Amino acid sequence: MRRQPRPSWDSYFLEITLAVARRSTCLRRQVGAIVVRDKRILTTGYNGAPSGLEHCSHEGCLRERLGIPSGERHELCRGLHAEQNALLQAALHGIGLQGATLYCTTAPCGICAKMIINAGLKRVVFLDSYPDELAQECLAEAQVELVKGEETLAADQHSYHRLAAAEPAGTDPGSDRPEADGGSGGAGQDHSQPGRRG
């Protein structure tokens, strides 16, 4: 039997990012992000409401109610972006990100791009584009490498992150309460008991 070729490091980390995206609680688009340095995962994040707040799967989508198109008026949203949650986890746990790479299922918006620059990241690898030219301009000016992920990941492998899966996004079996980690993917969190920190 022939062994499958090993994935490149970018493909490997993008596949992990797709798994992180499945934790998203956004009704419009499930996004995952991980920050990696020296082939080690430093933090993870997915998009969703802040820690302790009700998820959009329960509250409904504010952006849908207001008719706000994707890529506009980011401040009018209950959730944080996956990149923001990954960066915030580093701050929360005292992890420096200088020189690291961010892997994300979707290219960063302008706000996330500015945060990535100031956090000292040097490379961003993404799968799907996002309609924000300012983000691309800022990253280029700051000499942060922006790389479209390898095409070796079949489209059907990551199509689930665009829309919520059959099970309501962000819910744990038997629980309809907010998670304690606020989209951070925080290790050691007990998600079976809402509001309880690990």
Side-chain angles (χ1 to χ4, degrees):
M1 178 185 288
R2 293 185 88 185
R3 192 180 112 146
Q4 292 288 334
R6 291 177 74 193
S8 69
W9 285 108
D10 281 351
S11 290
Y12 171 73
F13 289 122
L14 285 171
E15 287 178 21
I16 293 171
T17 304
L18 291 168
V20 172
R22 291 175 43 207
R23 294 285 305 162
S24 169
T25 61
C26 181
L27 297 174
R28 280 187 166 189
R29 180 190 309 242
Q30 289 183 293
V31 180
I34 63 173
V35 179
V36 174
R37 185 175 51 225
D38 299 327
K39 301 176 187 165
R40 302 291 180 259
I41 297 172
L42 303 176
T43 62
T44 68
Y46 49 86
N47 57 330
S51 180
L53 298 187
E54 289 290 334
H55 296 303
C56 297
S57 55
H58 299 285
E59 292 289 314
C61 179
L62 174 64
R63 295 175 64 78
E64 285 292 327
R65 282 197 306 268
L66 298 176
I68 300 169
S70 182
E72 297 179 15
R73 303 293 313 268
H74 298 287
E75 75 281 7
L76 295 176
C77 180
R78 289 179 51 81
L80 292 164
H81 287 188
E83 305 94 320
Q84 294 168 350
N85 272 322
L87 297 175
L88 289 168
Q89 282 305 299
L92 183 65
H93 297 288
I95 300 169
L97 302 178
Q98 297 82 2
T101 296
L102 181 126
Y103 291 87
C104 196
T105 55
T106 304
C109 71
I111 295 168
C112 290
K114 291 181 271 186
M115 293 176 71
I116 288 165
I117 293 164
N118 276 1
L121 280 75
K122 294 299 177 195
R123 189 167 179 257
V124 174
V125 181
F126 67 96
L127 288 173
D128 292 333
S129 297
Y130 190 74
D132 195 325
E133 290 181 27
L134 178 61
Q136 295 173 24
E137 292 170 9
C138 288
L139 291 169
E141 185 177 342
Q143 298 181 352
V144 174
E145 184 182 6
L146 186 62
V147 179
K148 175 88 165 119
E150 295 180 46
E151 301 300 328
T152 57
L153 292 172
D156 61 340
Q157 272 187 297
H158 68 278
S159 62
Y160 61 77
H161 83 276
R162 289 189 186 97
L163 297 173
E167 186 175 334
T171 59
D172 288 318
S175 172
D176 62 353
R177 304 275 303 155
E179 296 165 1
D181 70 356
S184 68
Q189 298 291 337
D190 182 354
H191 297 290
S192 64
Q193 296 183 12
R196 181 175 173 201
R197 295 191 183 268

